[in-house]
Amino acid sequence: MKDIISIIVPVYNVSEYVGTCLDSLLRQTYQNVEIIVVNDGSTDDSGRICDQYAGKYPDKIKVIHTENHGLSAARNVGLKAANGKYLAFVDSDDWIEAEMCEILLENLNKSNADISSCGVKHDFNNGKDLLSKVSDSQKCNQTELAKEIIKNQNVYGYVCNKLFKKSVLGELQFDETLMSCEDIDFVVRYTENCKSGVYTVSELYHYRQRRGSMTGEFNYNPRKLSVVKAYEKIMPIYEQMCPGCMYILLKNYLKINLNILGRMKHSHYQNVEIEKMLLKNIQDTYSKVIKDKRNPLGTRINIVLSRKFPGVILGIKQIILKRKYK
């Protein structure tokens, strides 16, 4: 009998999209999957829709209803219920290609790797499969894997475009104190236990982009402070696992702090303690990043301007985005 892949789907108020997501999971060419849906206290029809799917496909879908505790907590509930040798995560407003599980598992087995990844398509389409030619897979060692994650290329810091081994996962769980960027924290801590990974750039995962929310995403949100915390958590790991990547990590960390400060200025939000923290983080890393010639000139210029005019630069980016997705 084929090994089971457990697909964990956290659900919260996505009644408009969850059907498309579950349909894509049921269409998988690799059929030995269990779909664990964790309804995280939805207040719309999401829970009812999930129950309907479970009633229709009882051998495939299991629904767990919980109080609302957030994305990380819902994923952890799914991890505890998972019976599969392999684990996958799919967000309930996204969808995946029918071949995704099969390709990820095939690449994993062929390369004898500990994690398998695919490309991500940022998609405005509504659940239509758009798979182009499948690209060859590329194996990488732990250092190369760590670098691809922090570069946000090929492998990325997402959990939803990956297949994990339960044996490698061990007792690892999502950090429930992180309200944002919990993915990269989980992936990096998992990578600590990996000898190698494998990836294909084929875009098998569809990350839904909602036009209505695109232009409002530059406002300040305290959840964004979790991104700072997540990066501070993974920095010591990278110092041991991939010290040659630290310049990328510092650049990303600086840009995150500048971005949050820009959001505060752009939204006219005032908090002396938060601003003081952000300014200190910026001061501690700014010179290192600007003087490091490994960072592209365009990136360094953008950082200089963002530091000098944080709210203005963010406002310009918002205008550009509005025009792009009008």
Side-chain angles (χ1 to χ4, degrees), residues 8-231:
I8 297 167
V9 186
V11 172
Y12 180 73
N13 288 356
V14 285
S15 57
E16 184 179 352
Y17 307 112
V18 67
T20 297
C21 174
L22 294 177
D23 286 338
S24 74
L25 305 185
L26 290 166
R27 288 198 299 268
Q28 290 302 293
T29 55
Y30 187 87
Q31 281 291 298
N32 202 24
V33 299
E34 63 168 9
I35 302 166
I36 302 172
V37 178
V38 182
N39 176 33
D40 186 38
S42 295
T43 57
D44 65 358
D45 283 339
S46 296
R48 181 183 60 80
I49 293 170
C50 293
D51 284 338
Q52 286 178 341
Y53 270 84
K56 189 174 181 180
Y57 303 99
D59 296 332
K60 288 283 188 183
I61 299 177
K62 176 182 180 180
V63 179
I64 303 172
H65 296 278
T66 68
E67 295 181 0
N68 178 240
H69 293 296
L71 177 62
S72 291
R75 286 173 172 167
N76 286 338
V77 169
L79 282 174
K80 290 178 183 177
N83 298 304
K85 182 178 180 179
Y86 304 99
L87 301 164
F89 302 90
V90 176
D91 285 347
S92 52
D93 53 350
D94 298 335
W95 71 97
I96 65 176
E97 295 285 347
E99 297 87 354
M100 178 171 153
C101 287
E102 182 176 7
I103 290 173
L104 290 183
L105 183 57
E106 182 180 337
N107 289 344
L108 194 72
N109 288 334
K110 282 195 306 183
S111 60
N112 194 29
D114 296 316
I115 186 171
S116 182
S117 180
C118 68
V120 176
K121 183 175 179 59
H122 290 68
D123 215 319
F124 288 97
N125 212 338
N126 190 26
K128 295 180 181 178
D129 293 343
L130 300 170
L131 180 62
S132 55
K133 182 180 179 181
V134 176
S135 302
D136 292 335
S137 61
Q138 177 69 45
K139 188 174 181 179
C140 52
N141 61 32
Q142 185 193 56
T143 300
E144 294 165 337
L145 177 64
K147 189 171 184 178
E148 291 294 339
I149 291 168
I150 206 64
K151 282 170 60 181
N152 203 30
Q153 292 180 354
N154 296 323
V155 174
Y156 305 102
Y158 308 133
V159 297
C160 293
N161 64 325
K162 295 177 175 62
L163 191 65
F164 301 86
K165 285 183 174 179
K166 197 171 186 179
S167 60
V168 176
L169 184 76
E171 301 300 316
L172 180 62
Q173 291 191 322
F174 287 87
D175 185 342
E176 296 182 20
T177 68
L178 294 176
M179 298 296 104
S180 185
C181 220
E182 65 285 330
D183 277 31
I184 195 168
D185 171 67
F186 182 89
V187 171
V188 169
R189 287 188 290 131
Y190 181 90
T191 302
E192 274 192 288
N193 299 323
C194 293
K195 293 180 180 178
S196 64
V198 63
Y199 66 85
T200 174
V201 297
S202 300
E203 295 173 330
L204 306 175
Y205 190 91
H206 293 265
Y207 178 23
R208 185 187 298 276
Q209 305 294 291
R210 305 186 202 179
R211 284 189 172 88
S213 65
M214 293 294 287
T215 57
E217 63 179 21
F218 289 109
N219 294 325
Y220 174 74
N221 188 326
R223 291 170 59 92
K224 289 293 181 182
L225 293 174
S226 283
V227 185
V228 176
K229 181 181 175 182
Y231 265 76

Side-chain angles (χ1 to χ4, degrees), residues 52 79 212 258 291 295 303:
Q52 286 178 341
L79 282 174
L258 286 167
K291 291 178 181 179
N295 293 315
I303 287 171

